[in-house]
Amino acid sequence: MLKHLKKYNSFFVLLFFVLLFFGCLENNLETTQDFKVQDSQVVFFVEDSMLNDLLDSLLETTFSIPIEGLLQEEPLFSFIITNDPKEVTKALNKNTNVLRVINIKSSKAKKPLTTENTDDFISTIYWKNDILKLKEELTRLKLSIEEEEILKIRKSFSRNSQKDIQESVLEKFQVNIIIPKKYNVVVNRKDFFWANYDPSDKEETKNICVFSFTEKESDLATQVLYKVDSVFNKHFIGEKEGTFATIEKDFPVSISDNVYRGLWKLEGGFMGGVFVVKTYSFSSKTTVCLGFVFDPANSKRSHVKEFEAIL
């Protein structure tokens, strides 16, 4: 009886510290003006340490799968597995972007593999000897947390964005994108929008473009990539004569619903990076929102998630 009581108390101590930390985290985000997307982390608090190896294997194919469309493998989420509540609070106190704490526990009082949300930050999975169903539940949670992260990033950038420019883009293209304050508008025509971020103190350049085209009966994805390549070729010219940006044709573009991820390069030069496209269809027209970055020294995950959120 005393043993079970200790376990019970340990969980509620964990819950208290997590709720306290999350409250502070939310307050901090509300006042943050320069939000930076970090390598988002999910913490797994496991009741039975015998599950650690199994869970680690399952997370490699769910939460930690590589983001498609990148040259180097970068995980969708990083994760921590621990059996000690103190380790959870340590993870929360580190300078990382913890999105969720997931408590994995066995219980005869609950149906196998049901998930209970204590709040928006803590989820508890009850399970019993069913690996396939555990993987299904982890996959479901992963999708939910992906959406949650995108919404948080978008909300954070929208607090300090260029509202007047966004209204202009909405009027011209019927898309509600976020233009962070750090971007400078280069072109704002009825047929083409272009904003650029090019700080002088670091080797990083970002561009956002919006344009529309009339769809044909052929494959939409092929049309979208052709139009993106045309914009690259026309508007993004290198300093050296004959150089221009183009889609990297030797690397496959990842397409999922209306989101495209791929690589661009400077033809005849040495620059390159990742691009993200989101498309929106209106009757016979498609609006393309394009974001691409040159940042050779850093992880590309933060840029990808930023573009997915604001475009």
Side-chain angles (χ1 to χ4, degrees):
M1 181 67 169
L2 181 60
K3 183 178 180 181
H4 291 298
L5 183 60
K6 286 182 178 179
K7 286 186 177 180
Y8 183 81
N9 287 337
S10 295
F11 176 71
F12 279 96
V13 169
L14 166 66
L15 179 60
F16 170 77
F17 281 110
V18 168
L19 291 176
L20 178 63
F21 177 84
F22 188 57
C24 295
L25 181 63
E26 282 294 307
N27 291 334
N28 184 57
L29 286 178
E30 289 296 332
T31 58
T32 297
Q33 295 299 312
D34 186 19
F35 181 84
K36 182 174 177 60
V37 186
Q38 298 177 355
D39 291 336
S40 296
Q41 192 173 81
V42 181
V43 178
F44 291 85
F45 175 61
V46 184
E47 183 184 69
D48 184 355
S49 61
M50 297 290 289
L51 293 174
N52 286 8
D53 290 341
L54 170 62
L55 183 61
D56 182 77
S57 177
L58 292 176
L59 293 178
E60 289 292 338
T61 58
T62 53
F63 279 83
S64 195
I65 57 173
I67 298 174
E68 294 182 354
L70 304 186
L71 182 61
Q72 303 294 332
E73 285 196 1
E74 296 187 34
L76 182 61
F77 299 107
S78 61
F79 64 84
I80 291 177
I81 300 173
T82 181
N83 312 113
D84 184 354
K86 293 179 182 178
E87 292 299 319
V88 178
T89 57
K90 284 182 181 179
L92 294 175
N93 286 324
K94 289 180 179 178
N95 188 25
T96 53
N97 184 19
V98 177
L99 290 173
R100 187 80 64 92
V101 174
I102 299 177
N103 181 27
I104 309 287
K105 63 187 301 183
S106 301
S107 176
K108 295 180 180 179
K110 295 285 183 178
K111 292 181 180 180
L113 269 167
T114 59
T115 298
E116 179 182 277
N117 291 324
T118 309
D119 57 26
D120 292 335
F121 192 58
I122 306 174
S123 298
T124 301
I125 297 179
Y126 299 87
W127 84 288
K128 187 177 181 181
N129 300 327
D130 195 327
I131 297 174
L132 292 178
K133 286 187 177 180
L134 177 58
K135 183 174 182 179
E136 288 177 6
E137 193 63 14
L138 291 171
T139 301
R140 188 192 67 79
L141 277 173
K142 181 207 69 173
L143 294 173
S144 173
I145 295 171
E146 275 190 274
E147 294 177 2
E148 175 186 315
E149 182 188 22
I150 293 299
L151 289 174
K152 283 184 177 181
I153 296 169
R154 185 175 178 87
K155 180 180 178 182
S156 299
F157 276 110
S158 68
R159 294 192 189 102
N160 194 21
S161 63
Q162 303 183 58
K163 304 292 193 299
D164 54 338
I165 302 300
Q166 291 165 195
E167 291 177 4
S168 174
V169 172
L170 177 61
E171 181 180 352
K172 293 181 177 72
F173 299 100
Q174 291 78 55
V175 290
N176 187 19
I177 69 171
I178 303 295
I179 309 297
K181 193 173 183 178
K182 63 185 179 181
Y183 282 80
N184 295 312
V185 176
V186 181
V187 178
N188 190 6
R189 301 194 308 256
K190 65 179 182 180
D191 63 334
F192 185 66
F193 173 83
W194 172 15
N196 169 262
Y197 169 66
D198 190 8
S200 59
D201 59 342
K202 52 184 176 180
E203 192 178 27
E204 177 184 337
T205 305
K206 295 182 185 181
N207 291 279
I208 296 172
C209 301
V210 183
F211 59 92
S212 297
F213 67 91
T214 301
E215 298 176 16
K216 298 179 180 179
E217 292 185 0
S218 59
D219 178 59
L220 178 61
T222 300
Q223 295 176 65
V224 168
L225 294 176
Y226 174 80
K227 296 295 183 181
V228 168
D229 217 22
S230 297
V231 166
F232 275 145
N233 299 169
K234 179 179 180 180
H235 295 282
F236 299 98
I237 309 300
E239 294 181 358
K240 183 181 176 182
E241 185 177 355
T243 61
F244 54 88
T246 184
I247 294 175
E248 175 57 79
K249 307 302 191 301
D250 293 332
F251 192 85
V253 175
S254 168
I255 304 174
S256 178
D257 297 325
N258 69 321
V259 178
Y260 299 62
R261 297 190 210 99
L263 302 178
W264 68 274
K265 67 176 181 179
L266 186 67
E267 190 70 50
F270 299 97
M271 294 180 67
V274 62
F275 73 84
V276 175
V277 167
K278 293 183 78 171
T279 61
Y280 302 89
S281 294
F282 305 97
S283 186
S284 62
K285 277 202 166 186
T286 293
T287 295
V288 177
C289 300
L290 164 68
F292 65 101
V293 61
F294 172 71
D295 184 12
N298 296 304
S299 162
K300 304 304 181 288
R301 182 192 190 278
S302 61
H303 299 304
V304 167
K305 290 302 173 183
E306 179 182 324
F307 287 140
E308 289 179 359
I310 68 177
L311 295 180

